[in-house]
Amino acid sequence: QVQLQESGPGLVKSSETLSLTCTVSGDSISSNSHYWAWIRQPPGKGLEYIGSVFYDGTTDYNPSFESRLTVSVDMSKNQFSLKLTSVTAADTAVYFCARDTFSAGIQRWGQGALVTVSS
Amino acid sequence: DIQMTQSPSSVSASVGDRVTITCRASQGINDFLAWYQQKPGKAPKLLIFATSNLELGVPSRFSGSGSGTDFTLTISSLQPEDFAIYYCQQAKSFPRTFGQGTKLEVK
């Protein structure tokens, strides 16, 4: 059974860097069948696709985040990670990691991690 | 980016009702359209992919149709567990984009 689990600080200070890691179990992150994605949801709002990474390190970033975003993969740990720099209160959200299986949709999601940006 | 627009934003219905939610893409996305259900405090759950394909384990009262720019999600006979928020998402290109959501509420 494929499971994804986000981990990282739940509180980040404004202007600092938000860092999250997603640990994947039940599947290999080196699979060429999926993208590994980060999606966020501000409180009470809709879903926003942040970016994704392929097993070979190829990334695809939402232009809204591109200047301050890094998504990377660590195959030795079967993990992928998110770094978002220069955060503001607008970055407060539940961050989900997910497995994006091309046209077959986003089949697997982590439970989500609330990250609050404080001033 | 491809913009996805859902309607209505909210709908009130009763158990047993038939409900249809629509999703329009700002440009053609072939059949690269998925639907998700989200309940409070939970991650979204994939219901339908590639416009009309039911994800494993999803009840057959859910169905999807459409092509190009216009798509629909239909719930044929609402059950109590179906009251939730529904999102469409295009999988044609990056960045993936979602509709703003449709809240299905109890009448």
Side-chain angles (χ1 to χ4, degrees):
Chain A
Q1 182 182 356
V2 180
Q3 292 187 319
L4 291 84
Q5 179 69 57
E6 304 89 353
S7 59
L11 187 63
V12 181
K13 291 184 179 177
S14 183
S15 80
E16 296 190 345
T17 297
L18 183 161
S19 297
L20 292 171
T21 297
C22 183
T23 301
V24 179
S25 58
D27 192 7
S28 173
I29 207 159
S30 62
S31 166
N32 64 359
S33 300
H34 318 292
Y35 289 96
W36 303 97
W38 290 97
I39 296 158
R40 76 178 188 181
Q41 186 170 39
K45 296 189 177 180
L47 300 163
E48 185 173 33
Y49 199 94
I50 301 170
S52 63
V53 62
F54 202 43
Y55 78 103
D56 63 357
T58 304
T59 55
D60 227 293
Y61 294 165
N62 185 327
S64 297
F65 300 98
E66 193 154 16
S67 63
R68 53 193 190 105
L69 176 65
T70 303
V71 179
S72 59
V73 63
D74 185 339
M75 284 195 277
S76 67
K77 296 181 179 178
N78 219 42
Q79 295 175 334
F80 63 105
S81 63
L82 163 78
K83 290 189 189 302
L84 189 65
T85 63
S86 305
V87 297
T88 69
D91 294 309
T92 293
V94 174
Y95 286 76
F96 296 100
C97 60
R99 191 183 78 174
D100 180 344
T101 309
F102 309 117
S103 62
I106 302 169
Q107 297 177 317
R108 295 290 182 268
W109 298 68
Q111 65 184 26
L114 174 62
V115 179
T116 301
V117 178
S118 68
S119 55
Chain B
D1 299 3
I2 299 174
Q3 306 305 314
M4 307 299 293
T5 305
Q6 284 180 237
S7 60
S9 297
S10 64
V11 56
S12 298
S14 301
V15 172
D17 284 353
R18 180 184 181 90
V19 171
T20 297
I21 298 168
T22 65
C23 180
R24 174 165 288 176
S26 60
Q27 62 190 77
I29 59 170
N30 303 108
D31 68 345
F32 297 116
L33 193 282
W35 290 97
Y36 302 85
Q37 176 194 67
Q38 189 179 31
K39 295 183 177 179
K42 299 293 188 182
K45 173 188 173 184
L46 177 64
L47 298 175
I48 288 172
F49 63 93
T51 296
S52 59
N53 294 271
L54 220 57
E55 177 71 350
L56 200 63
V58 174
S60 59
R61 63 181 180 273
F62 292 92
S63 64
S65 64
S67 68
T69 61
D70 295 305
F71 302 87
T72 60
L73 170 70
T74 299
I75 310 171
S76 60
S77 178
L78 269 175
Q79 298 302 300
E81 61 268 28
D82 299 337
F83 294 98
I85 299 176
Y86 293 83
Y87 294 94
C88 63
Q89 174 241 324
Q90 63 82 16
K92 172 104 172 23
S93 64
F94 285 100
R96 310 300 200 207
T97 43
F98 295 88
Q100 79 278 18
T102 295
K103 187 172 186 178
L104 179 49
E105 299 176 299
V106 178
K107 183 183 281 185

